[in-house]
Amino acid sequence: MKNNNRDLLFKKLNNFISKYYKNKIIQGIILLFSTLFLFFILFSTLEHFYRFQEDFRIILFFSYLALNLIILIYYVVIPTLHLLGVGKVLNHKESSKIIGEHFSEIEDKITNVLELNQMSENNNDLINASIEQKINQIKPFSFSSVINLKDNKKHLKWMVIPVLIFLLFIISGNQHVLTESSSRIINYNIFYE
């Protein structure tokens, strides 16, 4: 029974860590698509009205690529690697602090169990009894409920706004503002009259 309770606790902590990184990946994807659309529209519109020289189109093109590549790596690739266990992954102690901020009733109990678990390798009955008591107090709490993936819907507005602007260009018949000017940015080394 003792090991079952501990295994259950560690399983709940591991599920929390997994959900934590899945949430980070979803937020990163929303941010990535938002910036892709937003800066595509912004740079294309600027190029349409100002018809920049080759030097400035190079800056626009590579800053667009760099910005989106940084967001992709930092907010999508790195959390995906962490989800797979690569790199500096959130450990049980760090995750217990995050969970403790959400559930004030068990704020220090998870951390205490983790610390006592390290000490219990000597098979001390008093420490094991203390661990079991704390685990029984923690058991009813669902750690995964700390992170609600549906909360990311509020971030979708940042993706919807650029998409709506993009659709307005198409509906109004002004898609050439985006297509022609983006073509000039992509072909930054060609001189245009």
Side-chain angles (χ1 to χ4, degrees):
M1 183 70 181
K2 291 177 184 177
N3 286 335
N4 288 343
N5 280 341
R6 290 183 198 186
D7 290 344
L8 179 66
L9 175 67
F10 287 113
K11 184 179 179 183
K12 287 170 77 171
L13 285 170
N14 289 333
N15 287 341
F16 170 80
I17 292 168
S18 175
K19 195 169 182 183
Y20 175 84
Y21 284 118
K22 287 176 185 173
N23 190 52
K24 292 280 187 193
I25 293 167
I26 291 170
Q27 290 173 353
I29 289 170
I30 291 170
L31 179 63
L32 177 66
F33 280 106
S34 300
T35 57
L36 277 170
F37 274 112
L38 183 66
F39 282 98
F40 171 76
I41 292 167
L42 178 67
F43 288 176
S44 296
T45 306
L46 286 171
E47 170 59 23
H48 175 75
F49 288 111
Y50 294 106
R51 294 197 168 261
F52 298 118
Q53 297 297 321
E54 296 162 33
D55 297 341
F56 198 75
R57 289 198 314 264
I58 290 172
I59 293 170
L60 287 177
F61 179 72
F62 284 107
S63 62
Y64 179 78
L65 287 180
L67 174 69
N68 288 300
L69 186 63
I70 289 168
I71 291 172
L72 174 69
I73 291 170
Y74 191 74
Y75 291 102
V76 179
V77 173
I78 291 176
T80 302
L81 291 173
H82 289 293
L83 179 64
L84 298 172
V86 178
K88 187 183 179 306
V89 181
L90 193 68
N91 62 36
H92 291 141
K93 199 168 189 176
E94 293 167 335
S95 62
S96 71
K97 288 179 184 175
I98 296 170
I99 294 165
E101 290 171 5
H102 189 75
F103 296 118
S104 58
E105 307 93 320
I106 59 170
E107 188 171 353
D108 294 329
K109 289 183 176 125
I110 302 171
T111 306
N112 289 346
V113 167
L114 294 172
E115 290 169 352
L116 288 171
N117 190 52
Q118 289 175 339
M119 294 170 56
S120 74
E121 292 172 359
N122 299 338
N123 208 9
N124 186 329
D125 289 336
L126 184 61
I127 292 175
N128 287 329
S130 178
I131 289 172
E132 289 305 312
Q133 178 188 10
K134 290 183 186 314
I135 287 177
N136 286 330
Q137 294 171 344
I138 295 168
K139 241 184 193 178
F141 295 91
S142 172
F143 302 160
S144 293
S145 68
V146 171
I147 297 171
N148 186 356
L149 297 177
K150 292 180 182 178
D151 286 345
N152 289 313
K153 288 180 181 176
K154 67 183 177 192
H155 300 297
L156 284 175
K157 66 183 174 198
W158 299 112
M159 194 165 79
V160 170
I161 293 170
V163 170
L164 288 176
I165 294 170
F166 184 77
L167 290 174
L168 281 174
F169 274 103
I170 293 171
I171 292 169
S172 67
N174 291 321
Q175 64 267 22
H176 68 279
V177 170
L178 300 176
T179 56
E180 291 174 7
S181 54
S182 64
S183 175
R184 286 195 303 271
I185 292 172
I186 291 170
N187 299 309
Y188 56 83
N189 56 352
I190 297 174
F191 175 76
Y192 292 95
E193 285 285 332

